[in-house]
PDB file of all heavy atoms in Angstrom:
ATOM      1  N   GLY C1213     104.691 100.846  79.071  1.00  0.00           N
ATOM      2  CA  GLY C1213     104.286 100.504  80.402  1.00  0.00           C
ATOM      3  C   GLY C1213     105.210  99.432  80.814  1.00  0.00           C
ATOM      4  O   GLY C1213     105.801  99.434  81.984  1.00  0.00           O
ATOM      5  N   LYS C1214     105.502  98.439  80.004  1.00  0.00           N
ATOM      6  CA  LYS C1214     106.344  97.303  80.451  1.00  0.00           C
ATOM      7  C   LYS C1214     107.687  97.744  80.545  1.00  0.00           C
ATOM      8  O   LYS C1214     108.532  97.290  81.358  1.00  0.00           O
ATOM      9  CB  LYS C1214     106.169  96.207  79.244  1.00  0.00           C
ATOM     10  CG  LYS C1214     105.107  95.205  79.422  1.00  0.00           C
ATOM     11  CD  LYS C1214     105.276  94.049  78.341  1.00  0.00           C
ATOM     12  CE  LYS C1214     104.305  93.037  78.509  1.00  0.00           C
ATOM     13  NZ  LYS C1214     104.306  92.030  77.457  1.00  0.00           N
ATOM     14  N   GLU C1215     108.174  98.696  79.627  1.00  0.00           N
ATOM     15  CA  GLU C1215     109.494  99.136  79.733  1.00  0.00           C
ATOM     16  C   GLU C1215     109.773  99.905  81.101  1.00  0.00           C
ATOM     17  O   GLU C1215     110.874  99.707  81.674  1.00  0.00           O
ATOM     18  CB  GLU C1215     109.732 100.114  78.470  1.00  0.00           C
ATOM     19  CG  GLU C1215     110.991  99.975  77.880  1.00  0.00           C
ATOM     20  CD  GLU C1215     111.168 100.939  76.736  1.00  0.00           C
ATOM     21  OE1 GLU C1215     110.464 100.982  75.798  1.00  0.00           O
ATOM     22  OE2 GLU C1215     112.126 101.609  76.684  1.00  0.00           O
ATOM     23  N   LEU C1216     108.766 100.707  81.535  1.00  0.00           N
ATOM     24  CA  LEU C1216     108.918 101.402  82.749  1.00  0.00           C
ATOM     25  C   LEU C1216     109.078 100.449  83.920  1.00  0.00           C
ATOM     26  O   LEU C1216     109.927 100.588  84.808  1.00  0.00           O
ATOM     27  CB  LEU C1216     107.754 102.375  82.951  1.00  0.00           C
ATOM     28  CG  LEU C1216     107.759 103.706  82.168  1.00  0.00           C
ATOM     29  CD1 LEU C1216     106.418 104.344  82.089  1.00  0.00           C
ATOM     30  CD2 LEU C1216     108.703 104.698  82.818  1.00  0.00           C
ATOM     31  N   LEU C1217     108.088  99.491  83.977  1.00  0.00           N
ATOM     32  CA  LEU C1217     108.148  98.530  85.160  1.00  0.00           C
ATOM     33  C   LEU C1217     109.333  97.720  85.136  1.00  0.00           C
ATOM     34  O   LEU C1217     109.944  97.564  86.114  1.00  0.00           O
ATOM     35  CB  LEU C1217     106.782  97.690  85.028  1.00  0.00           C
ATOM     36  CG  LEU C1217     106.531  96.851  86.255  1.00  0.00           C
ATOM     37  CD1 LEU C1217     106.346  97.546  87.531  1.00  0.00           C
ATOM     38  CD2 LEU C1217     105.254  96.007  85.920  1.00  0.00           C
ATOM     39  N   LEU C1218     109.755  97.262  84.024  1.00  0.00           N
ATOM     40  CA  LEU C1218     110.960  96.471  83.930  1.00  0.00           C
ATOM     41  C   LEU C1218     112.159  97.284  84.494  1.00  0.00           C
ATOM     42  O   LEU C1218     112.990  96.676  84.967  1.00  0.00           O
ATOM     43  CB  LEU C1218     111.197  95.948  82.370  1.00  0.00           C
ATOM     44  CG  LEU C1218     112.332  95.047  82.157  1.00  0.00           C
ATOM     45  CD1 LEU C1218     112.284  93.730  82.981  1.00  0.00           C
ATOM     46  CD2 LEU C1218     112.591  94.666  80.647  1.00  0.00           C
ATOM     47  N   HIS C1219     112.225  98.532  84.045  1.00  0.00           N
ATOM     48  CA  HIS C1219     113.362  99.398  84.496  1.00  0.00           C
ATOM     49  C   HIS C1219     113.347  99.432  85.998  1.00  0.00           C
ATOM     50  O   HIS C1219     114.558  99.111  86.479  1.00  0.00           O
ATOM     51  CB  HIS C1219     113.055 100.825  83.960  1.00  0.00           C
ATOM     52  CG  HIS C1219     114.267 101.648  84.214  1.00  0.00           C
ATOM     53  ND1 HIS C1219     115.318 101.786  83.382  1.00  0.00           N
ATOM     54  CD2 HIS C1219     114.399 102.698  85.195  1.00  0.00           C
ATOM     55  CE1 HIS C1219     116.173 102.571  83.946  1.00  0.00           C
ATOM     56  NE2 HIS C1219     115.646 103.136  85.044  1.00  0.00           N
ATOM     57  N   GLN C1221     112.341  97.059  87.966  1.00  0.00           N
ATOM     58  CA  GLN C1221     112.800  95.639  88.403  1.00  0.00           C
ATOM     59  C   GLN C1221     114.254  95.496  88.223  1.00  0.00           C
ATOM     60  O   GLN C1221     114.895  94.666  88.812  1.00  0.00           O
ATOM     61  CB  GLN C1221     112.029  94.591  87.629  1.00  0.00           C
ATOM     62  CG  GLN C1221     110.545  94.462  88.016  1.00  0.00           C
ATOM     63  CD  GLN C1221     109.827  93.535  87.208  1.00  0.00           C
ATOM     64  OE1 GLN C1221     109.792  93.579  85.884  1.00  0.00           O
ATOM     65  NE2 GLN C1221     108.949  92.686  87.697  1.00  0.00           N
ATOM     66  N   ILE C1244      96.861  95.590  85.314  1.00  0.00           N
ATOM     67  CA  ILE C1244      96.867  94.297  85.891  1.00  0.00           C
ATOM     68  C   ILE C1244      97.549  93.319  84.981  1.00  0.00           C
ATOM     69  O   ILE C1244      98.449  92.573  85.267  1.00  0.00           O
ATOM     70  CB  ILE C1244      95.434  93.798  86.237  1.00  0.00           C
ATOM     71  CG1 ILE C1244      94.922  94.659  87.343  1.00  0.00           C
ATOM     72  CG2 ILE C1244      95.475  92.263  86.555  1.00  0.00           C
ATOM     73  CD1 ILE C1244      93.437  94.443  87.642  1.00  0.00           C
ATOM     74  N   ALA C1245      97.318  93.400  83.544  1.00  0.00           N
ATOM     75  CA  ALA C1245      97.953  92.623  82.599  1.00  0.00           C
ATOM     76  C   ALA C1245      99.534  92.878  82.660  1.00  0.00           C
ATOM     77  O   ALA C1245     100.214  91.939  82.420  1.00  0.00           O
ATOM     78  CB  ALA C1245      97.326  92.899  81.242  1.00  0.00           C
ATOM     79  N   THR C1246      99.771  94.230  82.694  1.00  0.00           N
ATOM     80  CA  THR C1246     101.235  94.572  82.721  1.00  0.00           C
ATOM     81  C   THR C1246     101.891  93.949  83.906  1.00  0.00           C
ATOM     82  O   THR C1246     103.094  93.320  83.797  1.00  0.00           O
ATOM     83  CB  THR C1246     101.348  96.199  82.703  1.00  0.00           C
ATOM     84  OG1 THR C1246     100.569  96.629  81.703  1.00  0.00           O
ATOM     85  CG2 THR C1246     102.820  96.460  82.466  1.00  0.00           C
ATOM     86  N   TYR C1247     101.355  94.155  85.143  1.00  0.00           N
ATOM     87  CA  TYR C1247     102.001  93.539  86.328  1.00  0.00           C
ATOM     88  C   TYR C1247     102.148  91.977  86.210  1.00  0.00           C
ATOM     89  O   TYR C1247     103.216  91.484  86.529  1.00  0.00           O
ATOM     90  CB  TYR C1247     101.105  93.879  87.538  1.00  0.00           C
ATOM     91  CG  TYR C1247     101.144  95.485  87.785  1.00  0.00           C
ATOM     92  CD1 TYR C1247      99.841  95.965  88.140  1.00  0.00           C
ATOM     93  CD2 TYR C1247     102.131  96.127  87.812  1.00  0.00           C
ATOM     94  CE1 TYR C1247      99.750  97.402  88.507  1.00  0.00           C
ATOM     95  CE2 TYR C1247     102.137  97.574  88.119  1.00  0.00           C
ATOM     96  CZ  TYR C1247     100.894  98.132  88.423  1.00  0.00           C
ATOM     97  OH  TYR C1247     100.831  99.507  88.681  1.00  0.00           O
ATOM     98  N   ASN C1248     101.029  91.367  85.722  1.00  0.00           N
ATOM     99  CA  ASN C1248     101.081  89.871  85.518  1.00  0.00           C
ATOM    100  C   ASN C1248     102.142  89.445  84.602  1.00  0.00           C
ATOM    101  O   ASN C1248     102.990  88.528  84.894  1.00  0.00           O
ATOM    102  CB  ASN C1248      99.765  89.406  85.105  1.00  0.00           C
ATOM    103  CG  ASN C1248      98.766  89.118  86.157  1.00  0.00           C
ATOM    104  OD1 ASN C1248      99.074  88.782  87.333  1.00  0.00           O
ATOM    105  ND2 ASN C1248      97.474  89.547  85.951  1.00  0.00           N
ATOM    106  N   ALA C1249     102.332  90.242  83.463  1.00  0.00           N
ATOM    107  CA  ALA C1249     103.331  89.919  82.406  1.00  0.00           C
ATOM    108  C   ALA C1249     104.795  89.959  82.991  1.00  0.00           C
ATOM    109  O   ALA C1249     105.635  89.292  82.595  1.00  0.00           O
ATOM    110  CB  ALA C1249     103.163  90.824  81.298  1.00  0.00           C
ATOM    111  N   LEU C1250     104.927  90.728  83.977  1.00  0.00           N
ATOM    112  CA  LEU C1250     106.286  91.004  84.569  1.00  0.00           C
ATOM    113  C   LEU C1250     106.444  90.329  85.881  1.00  0.00           C
ATOM    114  O   LEU C1250     107.327  90.751  86.616  1.00  0.00           O
ATOM    115  CB  LEU C1250     106.668  92.470  84.575  1.00  0.00           C
ATOM    116  CG  LEU C1250     106.874  93.018  83.184  1.00  0.00           C
ATOM    117  CD1 LEU C1250     107.305  94.492  83.226  1.00  0.00           C
ATOM    118  CD2 LEU C1250     107.981  92.337  82.375  1.00  0.00           C
ATOM    119  N   GLY C1251     105.618  89.398  86.170  1.00  0.00           N
ATOM    120  CA  GLY C1251     105.957  88.378  87.375  1.00  0.00           C
ATOM    121  C   GLY C1251     105.309  88.822  88.678  1.00  0.00           C
ATOM    122  O   GLY C1251     105.608  88.326  89.718  1.00  0.00           O
ATOM    123  N   PHE C1252     104.544  89.985  88.641  1.00  0.00           N
ATOM    124  CA  PHE C1252     103.756  90.277  89.847  1.00  0.00           C
ATOM    125  C   PHE C1252     102.740  89.234  90.064  1.00  0.00           C
ATOM    126  O   PHE C1252     102.062  88.855  89.095  1.00  0.00           O
ATOM    127  CB  PHE C1252     103.147  91.707  89.819  1.00  0.00           C
ATOM    128  CG  PHE C1252     104.156  92.847  90.105  1.00  0.00           C
ATOM    129  CD1 PHE C1252     105.173  93.125  89.107  1.00  0.00           C
ATOM    130  CD2 PHE C1252     104.224  93.577  91.244  1.00  0.00           C
ATOM    131  CE1 PHE C1252     106.016  94.152  89.240  1.00  0.00           C
ATOM    132  CE2 PHE C1252     105.068  94.595  91.401  1.00  0.00           C
ATOM    133  CZ  PHE C1252     106.020  94.744  90.589  1.00  0.00           C
ATOM    134  N   ARG C1253     102.314  88.934  91.313  1.00  0.00           N
ATOM    135  CA  ARG C1253     101.310  87.987  91.699  1.00  0.00           C
ATOM    136  C   ARG C1253     100.291  88.672  92.605  1.00  0.00           C
ATOM    137  O   ARG C1253     100.649  89.428  93.475  1.00  0.00           O
ATOM    138  CB  ARG C1253     101.946  86.785  92.284  1.00  0.00           C
ATOM    139  CG  ARG C1253     102.715  85.902  91.439  1.00  0.00           C
ATOM    140  CD  ARG C1253     101.845  85.238  90.292  1.00  0.00           C
ATOM    141  NE  ARG C1253     102.793  84.771  89.165  1.00  0.00           N
ATOM    142  CZ  ARG C1253     102.849  85.362  87.953  1.00  0.00           C
ATOM    143  NH1 ARG C1253     102.065  86.471  87.759  1.00  0.00           N
ATOM    144  NH2 ARG C1253     103.637  84.845  87.009  1.00  0.00           N
ATOM    145  N   TRP C1276     105.911  91.444  93.995  1.00  0.00           N
ATOM    146  CA  TRP C1276     106.904  90.872  93.175  1.00  0.00           C
ATOM    147  C   TRP C1276     108.133  90.774  93.987  1.00  0.00           C
ATOM    148  O   TRP C1276     108.737  91.680  94.780  1.00  0.00           O
ATOM    149  CB  TRP C1276     107.241  91.827  91.954  1.00  0.00           C
ATOM    150  CG  TRP C1276     108.397  91.466  91.045  1.00  0.00           C
ATOM    151  CD1 TRP C1276     108.427  90.456  90.214  1.00  0.00           C
ATOM    152  CD2 TRP C1276     109.729  91.942  91.218  1.00  0.00           C
ATOM    153  NE1 TRP C1276     109.771  90.321  89.541  1.00  0.00           N
ATOM    154  CE2 TRP C1276     110.565  91.236  90.222  1.00  0.00           C
ATOM    155  CE3 TRP C1276     110.460  92.920  92.028  1.00  0.00           C
ATOM    156  CZ2 TRP C1276     111.859  91.505  90.027  1.00  0.00           C
ATOM    157  CZ3 TRP C1276     111.772  93.180  91.805  1.00  0.00           C
ATOM    158  CH2 TRP C1276     112.433  92.509  90.824  1.00  0.00           C
TER     159      TRP C1276
END
Side-chain angles (χ1 to χ4, degrees):
K1214 276 185 172 171
E1215 226 179 300
L1216 280 161
L1217 188 59
L1218 183 61
H1219 186 77
Q1221 289 175 311
I1244 293 166
T1246 309
Y1247 296 133
N1248 278 322
L1250 289 183
F1252 280 73
R1253 292 293 164 251
W1276 172 83

